[in-house]
Amino acid sequence: MAQIIDGKKISTELKLELKDKVAKYKKEGIEITLAVIQVGNDKASSVYVGNKKKACEFIGIRSLAYELDENTTQEELLSLIKELNQREDVNGILVQLPLPKHIDEDMVIETIDAKKDVDGFHPMSVGALSIGKKGFISCTPYGIIELLKRSNIEIDGKECVVVGRSNIVGKPMSMLLLRENATVTTAHSHTKDLKEVCKRADILVVAIGKPKFINSEYVKEGAVVIDVGIHRNEDNKLCGDVDYDDVYPHVSAITPVPGGVGPMTIAMLMKNCVNAVEIQK
Ligand code: GUN
């Protein structure tokens, strides 16, 4: 029977550990504060931001919410970020993406002080990861490493294939697996013989944004499959990038959707907020 990697359970364990750590910091007089900025009122973003605030409350992190109007100018947003960069009582700054079209996302990300970049999106954070220096790590791939480790799945020396090369998931995922001493292949939409490449994987991480794209023809017997996708199918049910029912009989471990990778992302954001204290020392 394949192991079903329970992201809900693992993220709860992690959040409880972080809650303890935050309580210890409080006893030493250290309070952690996260500033969350949302521009406009995109429905999905409001749900994510709400969940981030709830997680902060649970763990004991103070959150400052900045809900800005859709028509906020780039200058106004950048000046708020610069003000938060200066504030000693703010440890983390998160600007919820996507931003309205008139705002340059790269410019916004680069304006956040890299020492407060709890999303791990700043070029300094990305660079630090690639050369093995201390810095913030993008939450979803960081969460996947945590899922593998806490499920006792060995990464060292394993053949890993990451399908997808986004800046937020695919690329940092490959860097993190490499840091754990895996042999890593990054596959993408131009990869020839994707099935054959995926079939080499002991650990297959799928982040391509296509519902149920990966079926058993892409998976080696006994592989570990990590599904980053989340979609709603015709019946309004959630599904991932992996055809779970087709793949399940062939794997040794797999993440479900929902309840796999998803719950880890916010837990790792909380971990980054706690890590901020060390990074800022
Ligand atoms: N939008 C969707 N996911 C994320 C995330 O992890 N961070 C930010 N800032 N925006 C997002």
Side-chain angles (χ1 to χ4, degrees):
M1 281 285 275
Q3 176 187 0
I4 298 172
I5 300 172
D6 188 344
K8 224 171 157 193
K9 179 163 160 266
I10 294 173
S11 67
T12 302
E13 280 165 17
L14 176 61
K15 283 192 276 186
L16 287 169
E17 289 166 21
L18 292 169
K19 191 175 176 158
D20 270 357
K21 202 158 179 187
V22 167
K24 281 190 191 123
Y25 273 139
K26 270 197 187 144
K27 278 193 190 140
E28 296 168 23
I30 299 167
E31 178 163 53
I32 302 172
T33 299
L34 170 67
V36 180
I37 304 171
Q38 184 181 354
V39 185
N41 40 26
D42 174 75
K43 262 202 195 139
S45 289
S46 299
V47 173
Y48 290 135
V49 165
N51 288 339
K52 288 170 188 179
K53 282 189 225 158
K54 270 190 228 152
C56 283
E57 251 169 62
F58 177 77
I59 286 164
I61 292 174
R62 183 170 74 124
S63 70
L64 306 176
Y66 294 88
E67 285 155 18
L68 307 184
D69 187 85
E70 178 83 24
N71 298 317
T72 301
T73 65
Q74 178 161 308
E75 283 74 43
E76 285 167 332
L77 177 57
L78 296 184
S79 101
L80 171 61
I81 293 169
K82 286 175 193 162
E83 181 193 316
L84 294 167
N85 282 344
Q86 295 301 320
R87 273 178 61 169
E88 284 196 7
D89 66 326
V90 172
N91 305 88
I93 302 170
L94 182 150
V95 180
Q96 187 65 26
L97 304 177
L99 287 166
K101 285 196 175 60
H102 65 277
I103 298 178
D104 178 346
E105 276 185 8
D106 288 343
M107 177 87 99
V108 168
I109 290 169
E110 285 168 35
T111 301
I112 296 171
D113 183 340
K115 285 200 161 64
K116 299 189 178 185
D117 170 40
V118 285
D119 259 327
F121 296 166
H122 192 287
M124 288 279 284
S125 308
V126 176
L129 170 63
S130 75
I131 58 171
K133 298 269 187 216
K134 199 163 80 169
F136 293 105
I137 299 166
S138 183
C139 301
T140 299
Y142 194 16
I144 290 170
I145 296 292
E146 201 71 22
L147 277 181
L148 292 169
K149 287 189 172 171
R150 289 178 186 243
S151 306
N152 298 314
I153 293 165
E154 173 102 23
I155 305 171
D156 197 309
K158 290 293 164 66
E159 196 74 52
C160 295
V161 176
V162 178
V163 193
R165 55 173 162 177
S166 68
N167 290 341
I168 291 178
V169 182
K171 283 180 201 154
M173 187 75 252
S174 293
M175 292 311 307
L176 281 168
L177 289 165
L178 188 59
R179 197 171 82 169
E180 298 294 331
N181 300 317
T183 302
V184 185
T185 304
T186 310
H188 46 80
S189 55
H190 292 233
T191 298
K192 301 232 183 336
D193 292 328
L194 184 62
K195 278 185 189 168
E196 288 315 305
V197 172
C198 290
K199 264 195 143 105
R200 293 209 296 258
D202 299 313
I203 301 173
L204 178 64
V205 181
V206 188
I208 45 178
K210 291 184 186 167
K212 295 191 181 182
F213 183 85
I214 297 290
N215 61 25
S216 58
E217 292 171 22
Y218 291 77
V219 177
K220 179 168 79 175
E221 282 299 316
V224 173
V225 175
I226 305 292
D227 188 352
V228 183
I230 186 148
H231 316 274
R232 273 200 192 276
N233 69 11
E234 326 67 71
D235 312 322
N236 210 31
K237 269 185 70 184
L238 292 173
C239 70
D241 289 350
V242 175
D243 185 343
Y244 184 92
D245 294 334
D246 192 52
V247 163
Y248 179 83
H250 303 277
V251 299
S252 60
I254 187 165
T255 57
V257 176
V261 172
M264 292 304 288
T265 300
I266 290 186
M268 298 316 284
L269 172 68
M270 297 296 105
K271 189 168 167 68
N272 273 344
C273 291
V274 174
N275 289 349
V277 175
E278 280 302 313
I279 288 172
Q280 285 155 16
K281 259 182 194 165

